[in-house]
Amino acid sequence: MDERCDVVIVGSRLAGAAAAAHLARAGRQVVVLDRSHFPSNQLSTHLLFPSGIHELERMGALEGILASDPVKSPWLSLQTEDSELSERWRPSGPIDYCMCVPRTIQDLELVRAARAAGADVRERHRLVKVLWRGGRACGVRYAGPDGGEREIHANLVIGADGRRSSVAAEVGSFRPYRSSRNGRGLVFRYGQDPLVGTRAGETIYQFWEGDSLGFLFPSAPRGKTLMLFMGAAEEAARAKADPEGYWAEKMAAHPRMAARAEGMTELTPLASTGATSAYFRASSGPGWALIGDAGHFKDPVIGQGQRDAMWSGRVLAETADPVLDNPAELDRALRKWEQRRDRECLPSYHFGNIETRVEPVAPAFAELIRRAPANPTPDLGDLFGRARSMPQVLSLPRLSAGLLAAMAHPRGERPEGLTWKHTKRDLRVHLGVRKELLSRRFRSHVLVADSEHPNAEPPPYRGSGTKTAARPQPAPRSATADAVNGSDGDSAAATSPVSSDAAISETPTTTTSKATRRESKAISKEVPV
Amino acid sequence: MSTTAFTPSPRPRATAQPTSPAPRPTRQVRVAVIQPCLEVGDVEGNLIHLEDLIRDAVRAHQPQMVILPESASSPTVHGKRSGEAARPIDGAPLQLLRHLSRELDVVIGGGFLAQRGGDAHASYAITEPDGGIHLSNHNGSTFWGRHHSRGTTGRPRPSALASFDGAPVGVACGWEWASTDVARGLRHRVQVVVGGTCWPSYPLNWSGPLDRWMTREHHRQIQQARELPRQVARLLGVPVVLAAHVGTASFPTPFAKGLSWDTELLGESQIVDRDGTILARLSGADGEGHAAATITLEPPAPLDPLTDVEWIPSMSATTRSLRGALRARGALGYHAERLLHRHDWQDVPGADLADEINPGEPGQQASATSGPRESRPR
């Protein structure tokens, strides 16, 4: 028998669970479909800045996650070759720390929070197709664990099913109207940190060495730590071919990260990816919306995917709830929500595009780090914490001052990237971003020169669910087949088969024990950033 | 005001011959017209009703092409309710045509008030089963709608005609059907003209001498609506497929606040052969419904000469005067309200689609975006 509810959401991870929790708490009848069975792993950016953790708290999932004993990291350390900045995170509401929680723990708590709020979350349920009536999405047909197909009708259909969103394909919005190719790839592993309990063990590190980036994030449970290199995207293949050789080579090139990671034990195998193109899809239409990675994906180098997924779910819920029973008003509200999401995400989208260039740290930015006071108040960390946007943190006067300071160095000591060509390009990018934000264009397909990189490779289209529904149901995907940043459900109730864009590859290592490898296998499938 | 032409792109059918590079001289096409009875302003309700009508017409006639009238999302009359019918160009009205076209394997044409970029337009879309879409704006097609959409000045005139696959199809809406200039623009250039009208008549609720005057004009309008498709077919020498609204409408009288204008939408949906033979017809008295006929697409052979007069039918002085006054008032009102940001649709962020959208996978449709028109994704 067909069912009826207010909202049906496909995907129950970050974005879907956030939307479900807020809508259900507002008294709406919400059904969430997800093909996974929780706890379930998911490739992801893991790292949550204070604003992201604040979203967890708002949706009611934080308490459960804290029970897993994650390290709270109130400190940020940015290190270039000749300078270091150490500052605290600016609080977002009551939260003044970062966390890096494995998705097996985190997503289970998200689902629990959505259920506690009143949402009906159905695991092992697969989307078959989106239903239409009068030009509007009006529900979905889905297949349950027994393979039987049923229909559920709703005022609003939300796609929260990740980069290869089946809902996006069903509503005709799979092809991004705007995208940018990543320059950097990811290679990472976990280890057990001997500095747990010290300030260093509660600090989020970012190391610049030449054009290579290294990161170190305290994780969960306490003591587990994630080590990540983001060099050129091509390095992912090298890491796969010779994992330990690659790791040793990177550690040698990153002496400060090597010093920080000294004594790490229980190293997991390496995981890597080189395909993380950023994009915007049209994310709203009559009776439907795409949230999280389903609608927009930014380069993982700045680690904003998880926070933006929950933010977009919450704001969509708050926007749609008052007008859910009026189709015309709902469609207007959805479009305005998309505009708001774009304005929220565009600055960090461009910031990610800038950071993904395989170049040494920008001279002006390096000067800002060098000139930071010894015990600074929260400042540059706002770029990641989202307390302020990139144009607000890197204001034009501030960038100019940094640039002039870099130029004041004696000719032989000037930073490597300080060339007229690069300086002109960087200024043009920052001006272009500001111009775009001022223009208030909706779904602008006008690219910002030198921010957006050509030859992007967004997720490949595999056909809509209507077509794939006739095929045999694919086996549950392993996390290694999922694409990157997966802030939300790539493994949601999607009809897409396992993607060949298997961006992440896990490389066996020969230097870790079998027991360690077994234990670390699940964790190593998770992509941090 | 404009007319456009397109040719359905070739698509595989069970009975289709292999595509030949040479244009086919003749082609038999089964066409259906839908004559709907719709509620002013109730876009979402009207679209559900249209979906039922389209499905019913396809079941009954197995057409290759279904034609809806202009303003098919809501009849265009005077008053705020009509203006509130504007939806984003990629909104529910276009999605209805897109989805049904694919699902039912039929070309569908229909008009709706659409927000395109920073303006509202009286748009007409023709959607194809392979995902191809042909959009055109017909802003001068009705003087009632001038207040609700960005208009054009001067007499109706055709835009450049696109033609491919050997069988160009012209699109005309409202007053464009009656325009000699539009007919001149389409003559010898298309092999069929499709489109529709939304034609509210003169008020039927006024009393005294006004009643007699308005009733006389009303009957004249009915006669013109009945004759016009045949006249156009003979002037152009091609079949015409015209879908019209039917039913009643009530709206405030322009320049006379408080006076209601209660009237009928004239109907007269017709499929007419190139020689003026009516192949299928739904009059106003027939009410809501659909009709179908098989037409032959072949090179045009005009039968009647074009004259230099502005209108094909003989317009009464009342109609000419009213049209002039309402268009002027509408244009002023549209631009003033746009400047003051008072149009209902201005509350919604604007984006636009290219006029010609290439066929493609259902999941990968072009999205409405903003930016330079020439670089808009197709």
Side-chain angles (χ1 to χ4, degrees), chain A residues 159-232:
Chain A
D161 48 348
R163 283 164 56 90
R164 291 185 304 279
S165 168
S166 292
V167 177
E170 279 288 306
V171 300
S173 191
F174 196 87
R175 184 172 73 189
Y177 64 85
R178 178 174 189 171
S179 53
S180 177
R181 189 184 181 95
N182 59 298
R184 296 185 183 275
L186 319 166
V187 183
F188 68 94
R189 75 189 332 169
Y190 282 88
Q192 199 65 26
D193 189 1
L195 298 182
V196 63
T198 66
R199 173 166 163 173
E202 295 176 347
T203 299
I204 301 293
Y205 285 94
Q206 177 173 340
F207 304 96
W208 283 94
E209 300 287 355
D211 61 13
S212 179
L213 272 170
F215 299 89
L216 199 141
F217 307 145
S219 183
R222 188 169 296 275
K224 182 175 286 182
T225 296
L226 188 142
M227 294 167 286
L228 160 72
F229 288 113
M230 296 192 76

Side-chain angles (χ1 to χ4, degrees), chain A residues 209-513:
Chain A
E209 300 287 355
D211 61 13
S212 179
L213 272 170
F215 299 89
L216 199 141
F217 307 145
S219 183
R222 188 169 296 275
K224 182 175 286 182
T225 296
L226 188 142
M227 294 167 286
L228 160 72
F229 288 113
M230 296 192 76
E234 299 74 36
E235 290 182 15
R238 277 173 50 208
K240 191 177 179 186
D242 178 15
E244 294 308 322
Y246 172 83
W247 195 257
E249 180 189 317
K250 293 302 283 189
M251 280 297 187
H254 278 261
R256 279 164 308 182
M257 177 146 164
R260 170 63 188 86
E262 195 175 346
M264 290 271 185
T265 57
E266 299 177 39
L267 300 179
T268 65
L270 298 193
S272 58
T273 180
T276 57
S277 287
Y279 58 79
F280 280 95
R281 287 183 179 130
S283 301
S284 65
W288 60 267
L290 302 175
I291 56 179
D293 288 356
H296 160 60
F297 181 83
K298 61 181 73 62
D299 198 286
V301 68
I302 55 169
Q304 299 295 313
Q306 294 201 98
R307 179 265 178 193
D308 281 346
M310 287 186 284
W311 181 93
S312 66
R314 174 177 60 83
V315 174
L316 176 66
E318 292 168 355
T319 306
D321 172 51
V323 290
L324 211 45
D325 302 315
N326 182 330
E329 286 303 314
L330 175 61
D331 292 349
R332 291 161 65 98
L334 294 177
R335 211 162 171 100
K336 285 195 266 189
W337 162 82
E338 184 183 347
Q339 186 182 42
R340 188 176 165 193
R341 183 210 60 183
D342 290 353
R343 293 194 65 76
E344 174 75 14
C345 294
L346 268 171
S348 48
Y349 166 74
H350 287 298
F351 183 44
N353 292 341
I354 292 168
E355 292 293 293
T356 198
R357 282 190 208 128
V358 187
E359 293 177 1
V361 60
F365 191 68
E367 282 301 321
L368 295 182
I369 295 174
R370 187 175 293 118
R371 288 147 53 107
N375 289 303
T377 53
D379 181 16
L380 291 180
D382 289 350
L383 282 168
F384 305 96
R386 300 288 281 278
R388 293 177 295 157
S389 68
M390 180 183 73
Q392 289 171 321
V393 178
L394 303 178
S395 65
L396 290 177
R398 201 174 184 195
L399 280 173
S400 306
L403 195 61
L404 289 172
M407 291 167 70
H409 287 277
R411 186 169 290 272
E413 297 173 17
R414 283 184 184 168
E416 190 184 332
L418 189 61
T419 63
W420 171 240
K421 185 181 162 190
H422 282 174
T423 304
K424 194 171 72 170
R425 181 201 63 189
D426 291 349
L427 284 175
R428 197 167 55 214
V429 168
H430 284 281
L431 288 171
V433 170
R434 284 159 173 79
K435 185 181 167 191
E436 168 160 50
L437 293 174
L438 283 173
S439 78
R440 300 185 70 87
R441 276 198 185 123
F442 178 61
R443 288 188 199 155
S444 174
H445 61 257
V446 181
L447 304 184
V448 174
D450 292 321
S451 163
E452 289 165 300
H453 313 297
N455 306 318
E457 291 181 345
Y461 177 66
R462 302 281 173 202
S464 67
T466 312
K467 287 182 175 177
T468 55
R471 299 179 197 152
Q473 186 176 351
R477 271 191 315 231
S478 71
T480 48
D482 283 326
V484 189
N485 216 356
S487 52
D488 41 69
D490 260 348
S491 67
T495 54
S496 303
V498 174
S499 170
S500 63
D501 71 340
I504 305 276
S505 62
E506 186 184 322
T507 312
T509 176
T510 54
T511 56
T512 48
S513 70

Side-chain angles (χ1 to χ4, degrees), chain A residues 93-159:
Chain A
I95 311 295
D96 64 351
Y97 55 87
C98 291
M99 285 195 313
C100 176
V101 183
R103 293 293 290 267
T104 43
I105 300 169
Q106 179 176 287
D107 291 5
L108 180 61
E109 293 304 326
L110 294 173
V111 169
R112 281 180 179 158
R115 283 185 174 137
D120 175 3
V121 183
R122 302 178 187 179
E123 300 173 43
R124 293 191 177 124
H125 281 63
R126 176 177 61 88
L127 173 73
V128 174
K129 67 180 290 189
V130 171
L131 306 174
W132 298 88
R133 182 77 170 128
R136 303 182 75 254
C138 67
V140 299
R141 179 178 297 158
Y142 65 91
D146 58 356
E149 293 190 3
R150 283 172 287 276
E151 292 187 354
I152 183 162
H153 296 265
N155 298 355
L156 173 61
V157 176
I158 298 177

